[in-house]
Amino acid sequence: MDGMTIFWLILAVVTAILEACTVQLVSIWFTIGSLAACITSLFTDNIIIEGVVFVAVSAIALAVTRPLVKKLRKKKAEPTNADRYIGKTAVVITEIDNENARGMVKVDNQKWTARSESGAVIPTGETVTVTSIEGVKLMVSNTNPK
């Protein structure tokens, strides 16, 4: 083995270790390119050819695996049973006041902390519609604003 073969082999090992540590598919392409350049260095002493093989194989590996990477990185929204409250009508049981961080509603016999989507104060007894969920709070809009 000559110096460049060892260099490409070390680069392949380093990028493989980096990939193993990150588990994010950030250097696997360089590992594949390094291995290809390492094999090429067994047949030629031309550093330019080895470099071109490294870049070309790394780019091809990136292009081939890109759809897989996109698929793996795409996160699917996990619906929860709380999503069933969106669109439902609720009754304000504690005045909703976003500025003072208070407010509660009752929807389907369950009590929830609530905030006004518009920021308006909604008095106790009002009927509201659940528009979304942010953390553990229902975001509501006034059904019949006065």
Side-chain angles (χ1 to χ4, degrees):
M1 276 197 202
D2 69 345
M4 286 310 292
T5 304
I6 293 171
F7 169 78
W8 292 117
L9 193 57
I10 290 171
L11 185 60
V13 170
V14 168
T15 56
I17 290 171
L18 179 66
E19 183 63 41
C21 291
T22 62
V23 195
Q24 294 287 320
L25 293 176
V26 294
S27 65
I28 191 71
W29 311 289
F30 303 122
T31 304
I32 295 167
S34 298
L35 290 174
C38 181
I39 292 168
T40 302
S41 73
L42 296 173
F43 300 103
T44 183
D45 289 335
N46 190 329
I47 295 172
I48 294 173
I49 292 174
E50 294 170 18
V52 169
V53 168
F54 169 74
V55 170
V57 171
S58 296
I60 291 168
L62 172 62
V64 169
T65 58
R66 186 162 170 77
L68 173 65
V69 171
K70 277 186 168 181
K71 185 177 180 180
L72 290 175
R73 287 193 175 178
K74 185 183 281 186
K75 292 185 178 183
K76 296 178 183 173
E78 291 291 328
T80 64
N81 61 355
D83 293 339
R84 71 177 182 262
Y85 294 119
I86 297 174
K88 290 203 173 191
T89 302
V91 176
V92 178
I93 57 174
T94 303
E95 180 181 69
I96 298 174
D97 183 357
N98 292 5
E99 287 185 25
N100 293 310
R102 67 172 188 244
M104 289 194 76
V105 296
K106 190 171 189 178
V107 58
D108 285 350
N109 235 8
Q110 296 290 318
K111 293 179 183 178
W112 281 78
T113 303
R115 297 294 178 260
S116 171
E117 189 172 60
S118 67
V121 175
I122 304 174
T124 303
E126 287 288 314
T127 302
V128 294
T129 302
V130 178
T131 57
S132 64
I133 300 173
E134 291 184 10
V136 295
K137 295 177 184 70
L138 297 182
M139 298 303 292
V140 299
S141 64
N142 203 340
T143 306
N144 298 319
K146 292 181 181 175

PDB file of all heavy atoms in Angstrom, residues 4-5 10 17 22-23 34 50 113 118 124:
ATOM      1  N   MET A   4      -1.153   7.286  -0.666  1.00  0.00           N
ATOM      2  CA  MET A   4      -2.501   7.737  -1.025  1.00  0.00           C
ATOM      3  C   MET A   4      -3.555   6.680  -0.706  1.00  0.00           C
ATOM      4  O   MET A   4      -4.669   7.017  -0.309  1.00  0.00           O
ATOM      5  CB  MET A   4      -2.575   8.139  -2.498  1.00  0.00           C
ATOM      6  CG  MET A   4      -1.899   9.473  -2.788  1.00  0.00           C
ATOM      7  SD  MET A   4      -2.401  10.821  -1.678  1.00  0.00           S
ATOM      8  CE  MET A   4      -4.082  11.078  -2.157  1.00  0.00           C
ATOM      9  N   THR A   5      -3.217   5.417  -0.862  1.00  0.00           N
ATOM     10  CA  THR A   5      -4.160   4.355  -0.512  1.00  0.00           C
ATOM     11  C   THR A   5      -4.487   4.429   0.971  1.00  0.00           C
ATOM     12  O   THR A   5      -5.658   4.350   1.372  1.00  0.00           O
ATOM     13  CB  THR A   5      -3.572   2.966  -0.860  1.00  0.00           C
ATOM     14  OG1 THR A   5      -3.216   2.942  -2.245  1.00  0.00           O
ATOM     15  CG2 THR A   5      -4.567   1.862  -0.567  1.00  0.00           C
ATOM     16  N   ILE A  10      -7.980   5.980   5.464  1.00  0.00           N
ATOM     17  CA  ILE A  10      -8.176   6.734   6.713  1.00  0.00           C
ATOM     18  C   ILE A  10      -9.361   7.695   6.571  1.00  0.00           C
ATOM     19  O   ILE A  10     -10.197   7.805   7.473  1.00  0.00           O
ATOM     20  CB  ILE A  10      -6.883   7.483   7.116  1.00  0.00           C
ATOM     21  CG1 ILE A  10      -5.819   6.481   7.568  1.00  0.00           C
ATOM     22  CG2 ILE A  10      -7.164   8.511   8.208  1.00  0.00           C
ATOM     23  CD1 ILE A  10      -4.446   7.084   7.789  1.00  0.00           C
ATOM     24  N   ILE A  17     -16.942   6.928  10.811  1.00  0.00           N
ATOM     25  CA  ILE A  17     -17.104   7.173  12.255  1.00  0.00           C
ATOM     26  C   ILE A  17     -17.967   8.414  12.469  1.00  0.00           C
ATOM     27  O   ILE A  17     -18.870   8.417  13.321  1.00  0.00           O
ATOM     28  CB  ILE A  17     -15.730   7.308  12.952  1.00  0.00           C
ATOM     29  CG1 ILE A  17     -15.024   5.955  12.978  1.00  0.00           C
ATOM     30  CG2 ILE A  17     -15.893   7.873  14.363  1.00  0.00           C
ATOM     31  CD1 ILE A  17     -13.572   6.014  13.436  1.00  0.00           C
ATOM     32  N   THR A  22     -23.252  10.777  14.089  1.00  0.00           N
ATOM     33  CA  THR A  22     -24.342  11.722  13.840  1.00  0.00           C
ATOM     34  C   THR A  22     -25.655  11.044  13.479  1.00  0.00           C
ATOM     35  O   THR A  22     -26.711  11.557  13.782  1.00  0.00           O
ATOM     36  CB  THR A  22     -23.986  12.688  12.692  1.00  0.00           C
ATOM     37  OG1 THR A  22     -23.784  11.947  11.496  1.00  0.00           O
ATOM     38  CG2 THR A  22     -22.768  13.508  13.039  1.00  0.00           C
ATOM     39  N   VAL A  23     -25.608   9.936  12.807  1.00  0.00           N
ATOM     40  CA  VAL A  23     -26.787   9.202  12.342  1.00  0.00           C
ATOM     41  C   VAL A  23     -27.732  10.140  11.578  1.00  0.00           C
ATOM     42  O   VAL A  23     -28.928  10.089  11.710  1.00  0.00           O
ATOM     43  CB  VAL A  23     -27.528   8.511  13.505  1.00  0.00           C
ATOM     44  CG1 VAL A  23     -28.511   7.481  12.972  1.00  0.00           C
ATOM     45  CG2 VAL A  23     -26.556   7.828  14.451  1.00  0.00           C
ATOM     46  N   SER A  34     -14.548   7.932  -0.733  1.00  0.00           N
ATOM     47  CA  SER A  34     -13.197   7.607  -0.243  1.00  0.00           C
ATOM     48  C   SER A  34     -12.830   6.164  -0.551  1.00  0.00           C
ATOM     49  O   SER A  34     -11.698   5.870  -0.941  1.00  0.00           O
ATOM     50  CB  SER A  34     -13.104   7.833   1.267  1.00  0.00           C
ATOM     51  OG  SER A  34     -13.341   9.167   1.585  1.00  0.00           O
ATOM     52  N   GLU A  50      -7.533  10.049  -8.808  1.00  0.00           N
ATOM     53  CA  GLU A  50      -8.114   9.611  -7.537  1.00  0.00           C
ATOM     54  C   GLU A  50      -9.073  10.668  -6.980  1.00  0.00           C
ATOM     55  O   GLU A  50     -10.156  10.340  -6.495  1.00  0.00           O
ATOM     56  CB  GLU A  50      -6.999   9.337  -6.519  1.00  0.00           C
ATOM     57  CG  GLU A  50      -6.120   8.175  -6.904  1.00  0.00           C
ATOM     58  CD  GLU A  50      -4.880   8.058  -6.028  1.00  0.00           C
ATOM     59  OE1 GLU A  50      -4.846   8.648  -4.927  1.00  0.00           O
ATOM     60  OE2 GLU A  50      -3.937   7.380  -6.455  1.00  0.00           O
ATOM     61  N   THR A 113     -57.235  24.560  29.764  1.00  0.00           N
ATOM     62  CA  THR A 113     -56.740  25.926  29.767  1.00  0.00           C
ATOM     63  C   THR A 113     -56.951  26.444  28.351  1.00  0.00           C
ATOM     64  O   THR A 113     -56.760  25.717  27.381  1.00  0.00           O
ATOM     65  CB  THR A 113     -55.237  25.957  30.115  1.00  0.00           C
ATOM     66  OG1 THR A 113     -55.047  25.323  31.370  1.00  0.00           O
ATOM     67  CG2 THR A 113     -54.715  27.371  30.159  1.00  0.00           C
ATOM     68  N   SER A 118     -57.834  35.677  19.016  1.00  0.00           N
ATOM     69  CA  SER A 118     -57.745  37.085  18.615  1.00  0.00           C
ATOM     70  C   SER A 118     -57.073  37.954  19.670  1.00  0.00           C
ATOM     71  O   SER A 118     -56.715  39.094  19.411  1.00  0.00           O
ATOM     72  CB  SER A 118     -59.139  37.634  18.331  1.00  0.00           C
ATOM     73  OG  SER A 118     -59.888  37.694  19.543  1.00  0.00           O
ATOM     74  N   THR A 124     -66.796  34.785  31.154  1.00  0.00           N
ATOM     75  CA  THR A 124     -67.345  33.510  31.594  1.00  0.00           C
ATOM     76  C   THR A 124     -68.750  33.342  31.032  1.00  0.00           C
ATOM     77  O   THR A 124     -69.526  34.291  30.962  1.00  0.00           O
ATOM     78  CB  THR A 124     -67.394  33.464  33.141  1.00  0.00           C
ATOM     79  OG1 THR A 124     -66.067  33.685  33.632  1.00  0.00           O
ATOM     80  CG2 THR A 124     -67.910  32.134  33.653  1.00  0.00           C
TER      81      THR A 124
END
